Each structure stands twice: as structure tokens, then as C-alpha cells.
Amino acid sequence: GQNIDQPTEMTATEGAIVQINCTYQTSGFNGLFWYQQHAGEAPTFLSYNVLDGLEEKGRFSSFLSRSKGYSYLLLKELQMKDSASYLCAVGSYNTDKLIFGTGTRLQVFP
Amino acid sequence: EAGVTQFPSHSVIEKGQTVTLRCDPISGHDNLYWYRRVMGKEIKFLLHFVKESKQDESGMPNNRFLAERTGGTYSTLKVQPAELEDSGVYFCASSHGLAGADEQFFGPGTRLTVL
């Protein structure tokens, strides 16, 4: 079967660094996506990892270890606007759909 | 470039009624996906169109749900008759390539409430 696990909620302070973890079990793995979703809005693409290692994009970085079925999203220099849900999703060769985790709701405090 | 749009943004109907949701994908995107998020749960796949053809409809809950994409442009998702458990947010997404290799762009969703 396919399973995605990530923490339900996290809190952090403005200016800090936060790491959101995601573990997955899937067949025919073909990439891991991170999306950001503000309440009532569309999920927006943050990153895509298909090879092991770290992908850096501004204040956001995403890491993947395929052998461990593990990814994390790293957010640096947190801003209030980073308060949102962060969705981990896996793509598969077997299907064309994304398999989502339940999302991690991040609250950034002043 | 316009993003994925969905209509309506909200819909409140009574059990037994019919509702039709519409999705306009990004122009030129052959792939169109429908997803649903019920309260407290993860976003779940419903079905996938490639142009006007249904590529995968394994996530459709039952035969009360009917999706169409005539002409390979916009898509509609009809729920008839609606039940209480159909309440949730219905997202549409589109992409140029396949999910494993290409970003899916999501619409803002339609929040459906069945009373």
C-alpha cells in the first residue's frame, strides 16, 4: 500500500528555522513534492525531489532519502506569512496521481 | 498566465440534490485531475483526464459521481444525488506532463456542504 506520514502541527518563532519531516511508503516512487496551502487557498508548489540530496530554493530547502523513504522541508528566516499547511505528496510510476499526507499546519509567532 | 480556476467557490445543497462543479485548467495542459479533501483527512485523488479521456478514475467514490471533459478543455464533476458524506473541498489540478515528472497546479477548490 501507500502511506505518507507527517506531523499534524508545528509552531515556531519569526526568524527561526523549522524542519517539517515526511516519511512515505510507496511502490514505483517517482518523486516527492512539497506544497504550501494557506487557509481557503489553492495548494502551491514549493519543491520536487526525485534524486537523493538537498534542493535549495531561497529560504526553502527540501531533502530526500529514497533508501529511507524520508524527506524534509526546511524553512529558514521564518516570516509570519509562512504560517500555512505544508503538504507532502508522492508521485508514482504506477499511477498518475499524487498521494498526499494529511499536511502539517505551521504557526509562526512573533 | 491564468491559473486553474474553479466554480463555484462554495456550494451549499441539501441531501438528494444535484451539484455540478466546474474546473478550467491552465491553457495547454492536457492533464486534469480532481481531488477531494474531507474534513480532517488528507487530499485524495478522484480521477485523471488526459485531454478528453479518463486515464484513471480509481478514486471515484461511487456511481453518484460523474466527471466529464468534453473537448479536452474544462471539466465538470457532477454529484447526483448528493449525500452528507460528500461534503468537503473539491480541488482541480492540471499539468503539462505526468504527476511523477511534472508539477500539478491546483485551483482554489470548491467547498461543498451537503445538509
Side-chain angles (χ1 to χ4, degrees):
Chain A
Q2 306 196 64
N3 191 45
I4 315 284
D5 285 314
Q6 55 182 128
T8 305
E9 290 191 7
M10 297 184 72
T11 60
T13 306
E14 197 173 14
I17 299 173
V18 71
Q19 177 174 312
I20 303 174
N21 296 323
C22 173
T23 58
Y24 64 89
Q25 292 176 311
T26 187
S27 56
F29 176 82
N30 193 24
L32 188 139
F33 295 79
W34 284 96
Y35 280 82
Q36 180 192 60
Q37 186 182 21
H38 287 98
E41 298 182 9
T44 55
F45 172 82
L46 291 178
S47 68
Y48 170 65
N49 294 67
V50 67
L51 299 176
D52 290 352
L54 187 68
E55 296 277 346
E56 297 186 77
K57 190 185 294 184
R59 293 189 300 113
F60 293 3
S61 303
S62 56
F63 171 83
L64 176 68
S65 169
R66 288 172 297 171
S67 62
K68 295 181 179 178
Y70 168 69
S71 173
Y72 68 71
L73 180 69
L74 192 71
L75 294 77
K76 303 176 186 175
E77 301 169 18
L78 281 173
Q79 302 174 9
M80 297 296 290
K81 67 178 183 179
D82 297 329
S83 293
S85 286
Y86 291 85
L87 310 174
C88 174
V90 171
S92 171
Y93 274 121
N94 297 335
T95 71
D96 298 327
K97 62 191 178 189
L98 290 177
I99 309 297
F100 281 91
T102 54
T104 299
R105 185 181 172 196
L106 174 67
Q107 286 188 285
V108 180
F109 293 99
Chain B
E1 177 184 274
V4 177
T5 57
Q6 295 186 242
F7 182 83
S9 57
H10 294 81
S11 180
V12 181
I13 60 173
E14 294 188 350
K15 176 182 172 181
Q17 290 186 319
T18 297
V19 64
T20 300
L21 314 181
R22 172 172 171 143
C23 168
D24 286 79
I26 292 173
S27 177
H29 280 188
D30 289 340
N31 295 280
L32 187 150
Y33 307 82
W34 283 98
Y35 292 86
R36 177 175 72 171
R37 186 171 199 168
V38 298
M39 190 179 297
K41 298 290 185 70
E42 70 274 22
I43 296 174
K44 283 193 172 180
F45 169 83
L46 295 178
L47 88 160
H48 169 212
F49 284 99
V50 177
K51 297 184 180 179
E52 68 275 10
S53 300
K54 291 177 185 175
Q55 186 77 9
D56 179 358
E57 51 185 332
S58 61
M60 295 288 263
N62 49 61
N63 59 10
R64 295 186 294 104
F65 289 74
L66 175 65
E68 294 181 324
R69 193 184 182 193
T70 306
T73 54
Y74 71 91
S75 175
T76 57
L77 179 65
K78 181 192 290 187
V79 185
Q80 179 183 30
E83 299 288 344
L84 298 179
E85 63 265 25
D86 301 333
S87 296
V89 182
Y90 289 77
F91 291 102
C92 176
S94 71
S95 73
H96 194 65
L98 294 177
D102 200 15
E103 172 190 352
Q104 292 185 23
F105 294 83
F106 281 78
T110 294
R111 181 174 294 277
L112 175 64
T113 302
V114 182
L115 303 176

